[in-house]
Amino acid sequence: MTRAEITKEILVAAINRGLLDITDSVKTHNTIHDDRIALICKAYAEIAKAVNANS
């Protein structure tokens, strides 16, 4: 399994467990969606850094 695949699997597991859900009811649906996309991108970058550092 490549480093990119490991990173993807970790991120998918986090998403499936709801760890990246945003439950701020004050925001609009579009804002929550945009914030979640940004959070997922940041999480991917951080996970990739950690996977690459430990491979």
Side-chain angles (χ1 to χ4, degrees), residues 12-34:
V12 167
I15 292 168
N16 288 340
R17 290 175 183 243
L19 299 177
L20 299 177
D21 288 349
I22 298 172
T23 58
D24 189 351
S25 62
V26 176
K27 296 180 178 181
T28 66
H29 176 74
N30 287 339
T31 303
I32 291 170
H33 179 73
D34 292 346

